[in-house]
Amino acid sequence: MAVLVTGGAGYIGSHAVAALQERGEEIVIVDNMQQGHRKALLGGKLYEGDLRDAAFMDTVFQENEIDAVIHFAANSLVGESMKDPGKYYHNNVFGTLCLLEKMNEYNVRKIVFSSTAATYGEPENVPIDEYDRTLPTNAYGETKLAMEKMMKWFDVAHNIKFVSLRYFNAAGAHESGKIGEDHSPETHLIPIVLQAALGQRPHISVFGEDYETADGTCIRDYIHVSDLADAHVLAVDRLRGGADSAVYNLGNGTGFSVKQVIEIARAVTGKEIPAVFEARRAGDPATLVASSDRARKELGWNPKRDKLEDIIKSAWSWHEANPNGYGDK
Ligand code: UDP
């Protein structure tokens, strides 16, 4: 039986493909290559196309014996989602609807879903647990919440079981040095800080210094991408074992401010990394820190690369060795 990984050529998807590959799973990848990279695939059989293309998805399901899906394919930029919500509803929400309908048609009843802390919005409690209120402050988070809710009703009606993994901030790169983070344009904090360290940018722009946090900058919980990948494999196992649908947070449980991230990156790289303070970015909550107790208990998940310094070191190794990423965009 094969695992279908949608968006498998993207940043987190490619690390999940690597984790599946390491334990000998048969892997099928669907990616429309808008953000994906062929070189990011360390294994698996690639089908290049879009979830919303029904004939294409028929071929994928007909040519392979798929028993579980890991669904990464989506747009995922907070800022962009505030400017172009329609793109997010179309690709993320409609794309997921198309996928679930095909899964139902081809009798595939297990899905692990790439969700996000952005489903919570401004948290009521810190750290956030899975029972806390979900009130997204940006269109990206709203579409991910809509996708989760869609899966809930496909479970009720069609017995498609899901595990939704709400990640906090993914960072770092694979220990092999072969794959890492390469978005174009890049919008995420750690890669941008490292691009400034490499001299590819004149400075890092810090979005907002007037948040209600200790140093006025936003606080996030950074989690190594390979620890995230491991959680997906555990979630597939859980569904294959017959477990019911569930939602899990994935984070380390410790928050770091934007200023702290820059300080640690300066120490790791030995570079100056100039910072310029700018206005807030629309849609950003002040603080997002996870309680992942549930994932630890029920999935047996145990993040191994949990020190931010080590996460940034692993990202820095990738960026230093691959200053232009995969060099294909
Ligand atoms: N951020 C920043 N400058 C940048 C990119 C991000 O100050 O060039 C801040 C952003 O406002 C947020 C944090 O860094 O508070 C993490 O942002 P990122 O885009 O990496 O992840 P997100 O939390 O949006 O998923």
Side-chain angles (χ1 to χ4, degrees):
M1 294 304 248
V3 179
L4 168 62
V5 183
T6 75
Y11 173 43
I12 306 173
S14 62
H15 285 76
V17 167
L20 291 166
Q21 177 84 1
E22 276 156 30
R23 65 168 213 176
E25 294 276 352
E26 194 184 327
I27 308 160
V28 175
I29 294 139
V30 164
D31 202 302
N32 65 12
M33 290 302 186
Q34 271 173 21
Q35 300 155 85
H37 306 275
R38 230 174 232 94
K39 286 187 202 154
L41 291 172
L42 299 184
K45 179 166 145 194
L46 173 66
Y47 286 81
E48 188 173 338
D50 199 287
L51 299 178
R52 294 163 290 187
D53 178 344
F56 164 72
M57 291 303 286
D58 282 331
T59 309
V60 174
F61 279 100
Q62 281 163 9
E63 289 186 358
N64 300 282
E65 281 203 32
I66 293 163
D67 78 317
V69 176
I70 307 182
H71 179 32
F72 293 100
N75 294 108
S76 61
L77 303 179
V78 167
E80 184 188 56
S81 79
M82 300 299 282
K83 294 189 185 113
D84 190 1
K87 175 175 175 181
Y88 280 68
Y89 276 86
H90 207 280
N91 189 27
N92 295 5
V93 179
F94 180 54
T96 300
L97 175 60
C98 295
L99 174 65
L100 289 171
E101 286 185 330
K102 283 293 162 207
M103 287 176 64
N104 191 36
E105 190 179 332
Y106 289 95
N107 201 22
V108 179
R109 313 230 163 255
K110 300 173 194 67
I111 180 166
V112 176
F113 176 57
S114 161
S115 190
T116 168
T119 53
Y120 293 108
E122 202 62 69
E124 288 176 299
N125 306 301
V126 178
I128 306 170
D129 75 33
E130 294 83 354
Y131 298 100
D132 284 339
R133 177 189 66 186
T134 47
L135 196 62
T137 53
N138 55 65
Y140 162 63
E142 192 76 71
T143 61
K144 286 276 173 167
L145 190 58
M147 294 148 87
E148 282 190 1
K149 288 188 174 164
M150 197 190 294
M151 285 187 286
K152 174 182 123 181
W153 295 112
F154 272 72
D155 179 5
V156 170
H158 305 303
N159 199 33
I160 295 179
K161 298 294 174 199
F162 67 91
V163 170
S164 181
L165 300 174
R166 291 180 178 161
Y167 337 135
F168 284 62
N169 288 63
H174 197 261
E175 60 187 6
S176 67
K178 290 182 184 156
I179 57 175
E181 186 163 11
D182 176 9
H183 298 109
S184 54
E186 188 54 77
T187 66
H188 294 108
L189 180 63
I190 289 177
I192 289 183
V193 166
L194 297 180
Q195 287 172 353
L198 284 170
Q200 293 173 323
R201 294 173 185 259
H203 59 260
I204 168 76
S205 299
V206 177
F207 299 144
E209 206 189 5
D210 57 348
Y211 283 96
E212 285 192 16
T213 58
D215 66 17
T217 63
C218 286
I219 292 176
R220 294 288 182 273
D221 180 344
Y222 295 88
I223 176 85
H224 196 283
V225 64
S226 294
D227 283 328
L228 289 184
D230 290 346
H232 292 77
V233 176
L234 292 168
V236 169
D237 286 345
R238 188 175 159 81
L239 290 173
R240 282 179 174 161
D244 214 342
S245 296
V247 177
Y248 299 109
N249 287 341
L250 300 179
N252 279 313
T254 310
F256 291 89
S257 71
V258 174
K259 281 186 187 168
Q260 287 175 313
V261 169
I262 296 168
E263 276 311 319
I264 296 171
R266 284 176 179 147
V268 165
T269 61
K271 309 278 181 186
E272 188 195 347
I273 315 183
V276 171
F277 291 90
E278 294 184 10
R280 291 183 180 196
R281 185 173 70 178
D284 275 343
T287 302
L288 290 173
V289 178
S291 161
S292 302
D293 292 352
R294 196 171 177 197
R296 288 170 190 269
K297 275 192 209 110
E298 294 184 15
L299 285 180
W301 182 62
N302 182 23
K304 296 194 273 289
R305 307 130 181 122
D306 57 351
K307 277 184 64 193
L308 183 58
E309 193 191 342
D310 294 340
I311 294 174
I312 293 179
K313 270 186 195 160
S314 112
W316 179 234
S317 302
W318 160 260
H319 281 278
E320 257 195 317
N322 305 277
N324 299 314
Y326 294 101
D328 57 354
K329 298 269 170 185

